[in-house]
Amino acid sequence: QVDVAAAAINAMESRSIILVVDAGSSSVRCISYELLDSDSRNSSCRSEEVSTSSQPPIKAIEGMSHSVPMMSVSPNTGYIRIHEVLDAIDLCIDEVLRLLRQTITDESYNITALGFSTFVMNLVGVDEFGQPLGDKATLSYACNRADVLDTCSRIERTLSPDTKQSLYQQTGAPLHPAYALPQLLAFYDTKDSDNAHLSEKVHQWKSISSICLSRWTGQSHTQIPISYSEASWTGLLNFRSCTWNDEAMSMLEKSCNLDVLPSLSDFDRGDILADGISQHSHDGTNNSYWNRWPELRQSRFFLGISDGAAANIGSKCGSLSTGDDSKRRIAVTIGTSAAARLCLPLEIDTNHNHSDIVVPFGLFCYRVDKSTLLLGGALTDGGSIIEWARSLFNLQSTESFTECLEKVATMYGNRCSSSSPGVTMAPFLSGERSTGFRVGANGCISGITRETSSIDIVYACLESVVLRLCAIIKLL
């Protein structure tokens, strides 16, 4: 692996390297990219017979990456395994830097920047010293707990239809347990003594990326904002003005001090993250990362953006892409969850004028950055449904699962020429987000007979995810 990477790097004149951290719900990884000069890009374009304008300015360095498979979020409770996630992020960077040091022995490379993408929503409660308060002081998109469901239903009953519609059109998010408002209200309004004691310790809510950046750079956690991208996935941000939504704040301030919410910024804010790792932390103590990662002392850091936004832009389905039709491309992604999304241009509206963008019910609308929106829909269960089926039917081995998929493929061919619906499934094992956003929805399998086998169920699982994605795409 190292030999292949060494050949790839040494063949390039420029050695400006970018590290990218991706904290996902099923794995954490760090990938290194070579920043290409114009000659390298033109040469690559000629070899691949594509236009120069479509060639990206970076190229992944083969062998210079590291991944840690893990379940970052607990199903149903939605609690983030925050300490495990933070340790995995550091480990991934450790390993990539080790590979780079081992490969490029003359130290002629320069890590110019580090970018960050994370699963969203994620918010982590930290104490006055910026330290996470544990799993139970975390919020995530995967929450389906009974107390949050009850809180969400209570809000639904309290608000008028006009207020709910106004909140939806301003934040781009419906009232749902996957968002921060019901989770925060449940966290602060609980009568449980242990949780009440925990809520008193929360000094501020931060994103995973902002916690990492504070630790690495040595800056106080209060100095590191979260990006518009991460903030909009909380359902608390007015996506038009990029400020915390007034109606959501009026509900939240009855339960907690609004100072617990982080400050906001675009992901590329340069005045706080341009100086790399500091030798000393803000409190005067030595910063352990100074000696641990000397290559990042002069690197430019960026705030985190959502993995969904990164997926669209990286697959040339964003307004940052080239080509006349790039803004009309829909990106479909299936990982642990699943989604279909479309980028739209919209600058920040500081005058709070209403733009002509209306969010169709069933979809969300978030910020990518200060000039771009992301319209789409998501399923909490995508690939996770297949993992559930594999566990249910003891298909954990590669051989048994491969055999099952081969039979599913054969069944698909037969179904295409048959009018019989067979076994069908509503894939709401962890509740429903798009397109119905029904609070407390459950999954359902129908059409079972004595002849039904595990192959039928796996087929129904795959088919159900595709059909739900099709419903989202039709709305887009």
Side-chain angles (χ1 to χ4, degrees), residues 6 8 45 57 119 145 206 210 239 298 335 337 347 349 383 422 441 445 469:
C45 288
F119 65 85
R145 298 195 313 272
K206 310 296 292 185
S210 62
F239 71 80
Q298 303 300 320
S337 56
E347 297 291 336
D349 181 8
I445 301 175
L469 286 169

Side-chain angles (χ1 to χ4, degrees), residues 94-109:
D94 281 337
E95 286 300 302
V96 169
L97 291 179
R98 182 187 66 79
L99 289 169
L100 287 170
R101 292 167 190 153
Q102 185 177 346
T103 304
I104 313 176
T105 56
D106 59 1
E107 299 183 356
S108 60
Y109 65 94

Side-chain angles (χ1 to χ4, degrees), residues 77-185:
T77 65
Y79 291 137
I80 301 170
R81 294 164 177 158
I82 184 59
H83 294 295
E84 296 175 42
V85 171
L86 295 177
D87 288 344
I89 291 171
D90 282 0
L91 173 62
C92 286
I93 296 177
D94 281 337
E95 286 300 302
V96 169
L97 291 179
R98 182 187 66 79
L99 289 169
L100 287 170
R101 292 167 190 153
Q102 185 177 346
T103 304
I104 313 176
T105 56
D106 59 1
E107 299 183 356
S108 60
Y109 65 94
N110 177 37
I111 297 179
T112 58
L114 186 147
F116 223 123
S117 73
T118 59
F119 65 85
V120 282
M121 172 195 69
N122 75 81
L123 283 177
V124 179
V126 300
D127 62 19
E128 58 184 318
F129 304 107
Q131 297 300 314
L133 291 167
D135 297 4
K136 289 192 175 181
T138 63
L139 316 176
S140 83
Y141 73 94
C143 179
N144 201 34
R145 298 195 313 272
D147 60 328
V148 178
L149 297 178
D150 292 342
T151 300
C152 198
S153 297
R154 175 171 57 82
I155 299 172
E156 285 270 7
R157 295 192 301 269
T158 302
L159 299 181
S160 68
D162 288 345
T163 301
K164 286 186 285 188
Q165 177 64 8
S166 174
L167 188 64
Y168 189 11
Q169 291 303 319
Q170 291 180 45
T171 64
L175 286 171
H176 192 272
Y179 296 107
L181 182 59
Q183 291 188 48
L184 283 171
L185 291 176

